[in-house]
Amino acid sequence: MIGPFTTETVLADGYAAGLLVTAAALDRLARHVAERSERHRTGHHTGHRTGGFTYRPEHDAWVCPADQMLWPVGQDRHHRLYRARPSVCNACPRKPDCTPSRHGREIVRALRPWPHSEAGRFHRGIALVLVALAASLTLIEAVRHPAWPDLALAAAALAATAMTGWWLTGHLRATPACFPGPFPEPGQKSTNRDRYTTIWRSES
């Protein structure tokens, strides 16, 4: 006995709490790694981050600090590529501080932000498995030790489990805003560049 609680109940509910902490930590760590990887990917293609740039979902385009548009020119399975018109970008007085590219400033945007990406769903699924294990363990102990002090401890553990599960399943109840749609096909041609299926817009 540990105070009014049985030793088995305390150990089991403590282990369940540890599973919840592990699930939350795993989700946070996976999100951090994904965001860091995304920043690296963006920097690789543009040389700079998107500071000062504004995304316009109604046009599916970015606006640079010089009030010029970066239009979508291509995408792969996970990212969409946006590029400014070279003729405009190369004549911009801010170009030396923006990009060394002669083809126009580029920005890469994830088509499905965390946790709606494949990696996000995978890691969140693992976290939810841990939450399910914590709930199962707590319920088993509640059945094995139905005395009131043990039931109170189990109820607290189940409440924490429910809150963690609700938090981790939030992405299932909400669709992220500004999901870019597929490219329109009429009047466009494709070519391969930098792993993208590139759709060229007229520079007129």
Side-chain angles (χ1 to χ4, degrees):
M1 297 288 291
I2 301 178
F5 309 106
T6 61
T7 302
E8 181 181 337
T9 298
V10 172
L11 292 177
D13 290 343
Y15 185 71
L19 289 175
L20 297 180
V21 171
T22 301
L26 174 64
D27 189 78
R28 291 285 187 180
L29 177 61
R31 179 193 292 268
H32 174 73
V33 171
E35 291 176 349
R36 183 175 180 180
S37 175
E38 192 64 33
R39 288 194 298 268
H40 174 75
R41 178 186 291 271
T42 301
H44 174 73
H45 286 279
T46 66
H48 299 270
R49 298 180 183 176
T50 58
F53 287 71
T54 303
Y55 179 69
R56 298 286 179 83
E58 66 273 18
H59 301 299
D60 186 22
W62 291 82
V63 179
C64 76
D67 202 30
Q68 298 297 324
M69 304 292 283
L70 283 74
W71 296 103
V73 294
Q75 70 183 45
D76 60 12
R77 291 181 56 195
H78 306 292
H79 298 85
R80 178 166 290 183
L81 177 66
Y82 299 78
R83 184 184 300 118
R85 293 173 178 171
S87 57
V88 174
C89 198
N90 292 334
C92 179
R94 300 187 183 185
K95 183 179 184 296
D97 297 324
C98 183
T99 178
S101 175
R102 293 179 298 174
H103 303 289
R105 171 65 190 263
E106 296 179 353
I107 286 179
V108 178
R109 180 173 186 256
L111 290 175
R112 293 181 175 269
W114 183 276
H116 298 266
S117 63
E118 292 182 5
R121 292 196 301 268
F122 173 77
H123 288 98
R124 184 148 290 188
I126 294 177
L128 287 171
V129 168
L130 297 179
V131 172
L133 289 174
S136 300
L137 183 59
T138 303
L139 289 173
I140 290 173
E141 285 303 312
V143 172
R144 286 174 54 84
H145 302 281
W148 169 243
D150 292 330
L151 284 179
L153 185 61
L158 285 174
T161 301
M163 291 177 60
T164 305
W166 181 262
W167 169 57
L168 289 174
T169 55
H171 68 293
L172 299 177
R173 298 185 298 273
T175 300
C178 307
F179 251 30
F183 279 109
E185 296 181 358
Q188 297 180 332
K189 62 181 181 178
S190 64
T191 182
N192 291 325
R193 183 180 186 271
D194 297 335
R195 300 185 301 107
Y196 287 85
T197 301
T198 304
I199 311 299
W200 297 103
R201 288 176 175 265
S202 171
E203 291 211 3
S204 59

